[in-house]
Amino acid sequence: KNEVEQSPQNLTAQEGEFITINCSYSVGISALHWLQQHPGGGIVSLFMLSSGKKKHGRLIATINIQEKHSSLHITASHPRDSAVYICAVSPYNFGNEKLTFGTGTRLTIIP
Amino acid sequence: KAGVTQTPRYLIKTRGQQVTLSCSPISGHRSVSWYQQTPGQGLQFLFEYFSETQRNKGNFPGRFSGRQFSNSRSEMNVSTLELGDSALYLCASSPAKESRGTGELFFGEGSRLTVL
C-alpha cells in the first residue's frame, strides 16, 4: 500500500463545476504539498500546508491532520485547469529531503 | 527573479553511456532536490542537497549520483545507462531553512532523457 493515495485517478467534468481531489496518507507529516503538472511536464507548486486551509484564487486546499487527509477544491472550473494534480508529503521531523508522492489525479475540464 | 533552469531539456543516449544533468536554482535558494518521473512509477524522489550536503537519497542504485556546488547549482549523473532510466528528470529548489527543511518547491521544466 502506498504511503500516499489519491482519488480519483481520473476526473472529467464540465466547465464551471466544483472539483474535489482527495489525498490520504498513512504517516505523520510535517507538510503536504499540492502540485499541478500540465502536459509537457512542467510542475507548479499550488500549496504547501501543515494545518487548516489555504486559498488562492479559485483553488482551496484543506488538511485534517487527525484523519490524515487533504482535499484540493477548484471552484468554477475552467478548461485551463485541465492538468494532473499531485499530492506529496514530508514525514514528521523531515522536510523536502524525504518527499513521497501520490500517483496523481488527471483532471479534464470540458468546455 | 529567474526561475529554476535545467539543462539540457532533451537528450538521447545509448545503453552503457553516462549522462550529466544540470540545475540552476532560484537565487538565494540553498535546497535543491531531484526527482525522476516515469509513466510506470510516477514521481520518485532521487536526492536532496542543502548547502552542498546531500541530506537524503531515494531508493535508487549507486549509478545515480549528484552534487551541489557552492553557488547552489546542482548536477546529477547517471552512469552505465539502462533502458529503464528513460524518464523526465525534474529539479526543484526551495527556500527551506537549515533548521526546518520544509519549504515551497519551485520546479524546473525538466530534462527528458531517452535511452536507446
Side-chain angles (χ1 to χ4, degrees), chain B residues 87-99:
Chain B
L88 178 66
Y89 290 90
L90 289 153
C91 157
S93 75
S94 171
K97 301 293 187 291
E98 185 167 15
S99 59

Side-chain angles (χ1 to χ4, degrees), chain A residues 24-83:
Chain A
S24 297
Y25 50 91
S26 57
V27 298
I29 66 168
S30 58
L32 182 144
H33 300 258
W34 278 105
L35 311 171
Q36 178 193 56
Q37 186 171 31
H38 280 284
I43 293 180
V44 174
S45 173
L46 299 175
F47 297 102
M48 185 186 73
L49 63 167
S50 54
S51 64
K53 175 180 174 177
K54 287 190 176 180
K55 183 175 190 291
H56 184 252
R58 294 180 296 106
L59 274 58
I60 303 166
T62 64
I63 189 167
N64 185 316
I65 297 296
Q66 286 74 30
E67 294 186 4
K68 293 186 169 62
H69 181 269
S70 175
S71 293
L72 176 68
H73 305 286
I74 305 174
T75 61
S77 59
H78 190 275
R80 64 174 174 267
D81 297 326
S82 297

